[in-house]
Amino acid sequence: MTTTLRRDLALLLALASAAALGATGVSCSSSSVGGSSATQGTGGAGASGSGGSAGAGGEGGTFIGSGPNPDGPFVDFPAGPQLDMGAPAEAPALFQGMPGEPQGGPCLSEPPVDALVPTNWTPLRFEWIAPAGHNVFELRLKVDNQVNELWVYTSATSYTIPAEIWSGLAGHSAGRDIKMTVRSGQIDGGQLVAGPLAGTEGVVHVAPVAAPGSIVYWTTGAPGSGKTALKGFSIGDTQLTTVLSPEIMGGDTTCVACHASSPDGALTFFTRDATLGTRTVTARKVDGTAGLPTEAQVSSVALGLLGRQKQSAPTLSEKRYTAQDAVAITVMIDPAFTGNKNELVWTDLHTLDPVTGSGILPRIGDTHAPASPTFWHDGTTIAYTTATTSGEGVVTGITDADTTMDIYTVPFNDRQGGNATPLPGASDPGFLEFYPVISPGDTLLAFNRFAPYKFDGVNWADSYDEPMAEVFVVPAKGGEPVRVAANDPPACVNRPSPGITNSWPRWAPSAEAFQGKKYYWLTFSSKRRDLNNPQLFVSGVVTKVQPDGTEVIEKTYPALYVTSQVPEENNHTPAWDVFQIEPPQ
């Protein structure tokens, strides 16, 4: 499978009214199914498990010497010290003439030590937390097939590798480790008056593969603005494209939210709110025109069925999106059609008959409310959250009488459904599990979970904007859940998880294979940055392919910050897929 950067844009199932909604708790939804709210405290105990946990495949091996370019040497790094952001000319001589203390220096917060970086990532940015009074910083980067070290002095607490250097390095040193060291000191009057002090030392791994596709996410804009939009970028872009917004939609649209891509990337299916208080699902082109789909793509009758009120959380399947057989699954509640209960509803996207063009998908054995469905790529299965209470298709809660919130699966069975069964590893009665999403190849399922608690001593926390949520991965057929290392920022950030709203995981549209391993990528939102607003992160999950073709999780990796997003905005419910949009201008 190609590892070149795709310019298509992505939208796989991102349902906006749940997940982290920022410090303000802004959402297109006004529902509340439990006692939890965006202003709740951190509450009781979170999910168990240690950071950096690995699956049955072992700890994961070194990347040094294993990449596609094992030879060299290369000269992507320039020779000699580089001065950046007003660093004084005497800094290199002062630092090199004074080895200083072996500890107490800057703590690297980005990228995290041990992170896995796609070869098509934006130019790698380094950020650190400085000791008090220190005003000059030394960053040194070394790769074993590069002739030179990158040796930088700066007065800022961050540094981004220049694009031309990063491009060469990512290609020539793919599959290798970058060794990082950072030191700091205080220079006054041309003299080193404090330090240098050694800080973080460690490695990040340049993956031997790229991350495919693009990410589109829901944003509510800056805190308090309520400016909802779907924004997106291809992996490697440094700027954003606004895919949809109420202004682009026009008419009486007040909010665009819960979204999913058509498997060919030509359309987005999303939730639309209007001035009359209606909430419906519709589909539009993603080429910047917000044009309606053609009749061959989605019939006008099907659009009408999707446009019934109280419908949300669309999901589609590659296998069930053909000229002969195209289906969307949504969550709907209606007094007549669903008996005033939340149900999984299928809609035939080619239907010409409004009576037979949609129906309820039977979930035999499950009487709870469904939410947040995810459709297997092969069209055979749907996983969803089942819970005591449900609202807006994605927000789920529990009660004193019934604390069920688990991941179930049900066969699609050509719209006939079947027995609904709990997914082993994602249906533990000791935890609340929600927001499932299936990986490419239908191999792994990522989801959120946390231990139930009453945030105010009376009301149970629900899935909405839940600070104790963490991301786990389990085999698609069930098994031992793995707590991904991406949950944990560096310790010096002083924002431990659980407690930072790690929410709404979504997979890249394909997994790249290299030397008996598969490289999966996850994106999710988290409130681990200084502004305490939801922001997007990306991390790697690597499996080892067994002789029989099965896969076991070998290692999960810490998460990279997405530098192309607007840091002041509330960005969450990401989607990752292929999308036919124009790149940013």
Side-chain angles (χ1 to χ4, degrees), residues 329-330 337-338 341-346 358-368 370 380-382 384 408-421:
I329 302 292
T330 57
F337 190 69
T338 70
K341 299 189 301 181
N342 281 287
E343 296 283 5
L344 296 180
V345 170
W346 59 264
S358 70
I360 296 171
L361 188 76
R363 298 174 292 116
I364 301 171
D366 180 20
T367 59
H368 289 98
T380 63
T381 307
I382 296 158
Y384 63 95
Y408 271 46
T409 62
V410 63
F412 179 64
N413 192 23
D414 193 25
R415 305 171 175 79
Q416 302 305 306
N419 293 326
T421 57

Side-chain angles (χ1 to χ4, degrees), residues 27 52 63 81 89 98 231 501 525:
S27 128
F63 282 76
M98 182 70 69
K231 294 184 178 182
T501 321
S525 66

